[in-house]
């Protein structure tokens, strides 16, 4: 957290001192994100990945290919080709195909004490990450219409995981019963960094590839168990912890300067 505080303190000082640096341009980016390492892994064991295992050392997150949208603001620093940038990005990654199939495989007839029961998911988790970073950008122009750039930055990431909700219906001990379970995953804040390379074409179009490491944090949740029978409802609430999610991604994206 000390690193995160220092990065944002630096960003604040740069913004306050913005009169000394003329903003040169901004850019809007759209891209595709490819998860890497444990963030992309799912080994086929539904009860042993980061959102189901109660072991914090389990890091397989089962994140599939997703998409990204972001904004960057570039500022001059008085050195030809060198600039400071501030960026805000949004990443969305759903589950891998294998993990989607695993959720479907869980659905169907309910077992245990339920008679004639059914089990289904109303919602399954997706990953949303929103990093904000400060960094340096250097661009070398071959001519007025073509340049190559490199950049790197660091900052903080807000990690969100959407809810998991399941419903079991059937007869339990002779009583028509519906059990709804909801896992509301808590937000996490982590240190994050990025690095990228790309081309600037005609000073308006940017084509680039970037690497993002958005930091590691365990998964905490609020679990609500609600049983509904005729004329009555019972509710229990707990706060289980699960594995660890570490979003690491490679991006291919295109940007438009303004």
């Amino acid at each position: 957290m000390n690193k995160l505080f220092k990065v944002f303190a630096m960003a604040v000082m740069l913004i306050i001192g913005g009169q000394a640096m003329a903003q040169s341009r901004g850019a809007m980016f759209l891209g595709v994100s490819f998860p890497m390492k444990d963030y992309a892994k799912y080994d086929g064991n539904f009860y042993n990945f980061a959102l189901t295992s109660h072991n914090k050392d389990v890091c397989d997150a089962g994140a599939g290919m997703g998409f990204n949208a972001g904004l960057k603001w570039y500022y001059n620093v008085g050195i030809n080709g060198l600039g400071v940038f501030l960026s805000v990005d949004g990443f969305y990654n759903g589950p891998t195909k294998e993990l989607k199939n695993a959720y479907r495989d869980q659905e169907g007839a309910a077992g245990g004490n339920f008679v004639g029961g059914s089990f289904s998911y109303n919602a399954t988790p997706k990953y949303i990450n929103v990093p904000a970073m400060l960094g340096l950008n250097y661009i070398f122009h071959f001519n007025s219409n073509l340049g190559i750039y490199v950049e790197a930055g660091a900052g903080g990431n807000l990690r969100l995981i959407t809810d998991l909700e399941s419903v079991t219906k059937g007869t339990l001990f002779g009583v028509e019963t519906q059990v709804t379970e909801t896992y509301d995953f808590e937000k996490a804040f982590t240190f994050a960094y990025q690095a990228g390379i790309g081309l600037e074409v005609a000073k308006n179009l940017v084509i680039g590839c970037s690497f993002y490491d958005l930091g590691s944090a365990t998964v905490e949740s609020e679990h609500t168990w609600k049983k509904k029978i005729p004329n009555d409802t019972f509710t229990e609430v707990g706060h289980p912890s699960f594995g660890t999610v570490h979003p690491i991604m490679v991006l291919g994206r295109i940007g438009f300067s303004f």
Side-chain angles (χ1 to χ4, degrees):
M1 292 303 295
N2 287 334
K3 290 182 179 178
L4 190 59
F5 175 78
K6 290 177 182 178
V7 168
F8 281 109
M10 188 183 301
V12 171
M13 288 188 290
L14 285 170
I15 293 171
I16 293 174
Q19 297 297 325
M21 297 188 298
Q23 181 177 347
S24 57
R25 63 189 175 96
M28 179 181 70
F29 289 89
L30 298 173
V32 179
S33 65
F34 300 91
M36 299 178 63
K37 297 187 176 182
D38 291 337
Y39 191 47
K41 288 182 181 178
Y42 173 70
D43 67 3
N45 187 343
F46 185 76
Y47 297 102
N48 193 41
F49 82 106
L51 301 187
T52 56
S53 173
H54 293 282
N55 182 353
K56 68 178 181 179
D57 293 327
V58 173
C59 300
D60 294 359
M65 184 175 68
F67 60 85
N68 156 261
L71 292 171
K72 284 188 178 180
W73 295 268
Y74 298 90
Y75 298 84
N76 286 320
V77 295
I79 300 174
N80 187 35
L82 184 64
V84 171
F85 71 81
L86 295 172
S87 68
V88 178
D89 284 282
F91 294 88
Y92 173 91
N93 295 89
T96 63
K97 181 179 179 180
E98 293 77 14
L99 184 50
K100 287 180 183 178
N101 291 336
Y103 282 117
R104 295 191 188 101
D105 291 343
Q106 301 297 312
E107 297 182 316
N113 295 316
F114 281 87
V115 177
S118 64
F119 175 84
S120 62
Y121 287 105
N122 284 344
T124 55
K126 285 82 177 176
Y127 300 104
I128 298 171
N129 290 279
V130 185
M133 301 193 200
L134 169 71
L136 292 175
N137 170 279
Y138 179 79
I139 184 166
F140 175 80
H141 285 101
F142 298 102
N143 54 53
S144 60
N145 290 315
L146 181 64
I148 184 171
Y149 72 85
V150 293
E151 62 185 22
N157 176 57
L158 168 64
R159 189 201 70 197
L160 306 169
I161 304 174
T162 63
D163 291 353
L164 171 65
E165 182 176 285
S166 65
V167 178
T168 305
K169 297 180 181 179
T171 301
L172 182 63
F173 303 119
V175 179
E176 291 294 324
T177 304
Q178 176 177 304
V179 175
T180 302
E181 287 191 77
T182 303
Y183 289 90
D184 182 5
F185 298 104
E186 296 181 4
K187 304 177 183 68
F189 295 91
T190 53
F191 176 76
Y193 65 90
Q194 63 165 296
I197 187 170
L199 297 173
E200 181 186 82
V201 181
K203 295 186 178 181
N204 292 316
L205 178 64
V206 180
I207 302 170
C209 178
S210 298
F211 170 83
Y212 277 72
D213 185 326
L214 301 181
S216 175
T218 56
V219 178
E220 308 291 339
S221 71
E222 180 178 274
H223 174 226
T224 303
W225 183 89
K226 183 181 294 185
K227 182 172 74 172
K228 184 177 181 181
I229 60 176
N231 304 318
D232 211 347
T233 300
F234 303 90
T235 301
E236 296 179 4
V237 178
H239 295 85
S241 298
F242 295 98
T244 300
V245 172
H246 188 175
I248 298 178
M249 291 169 280
V250 170
L251 275 67
R253 57 186 181 175
I254 186 170
F256 304 93
S257 297
F258 57 86

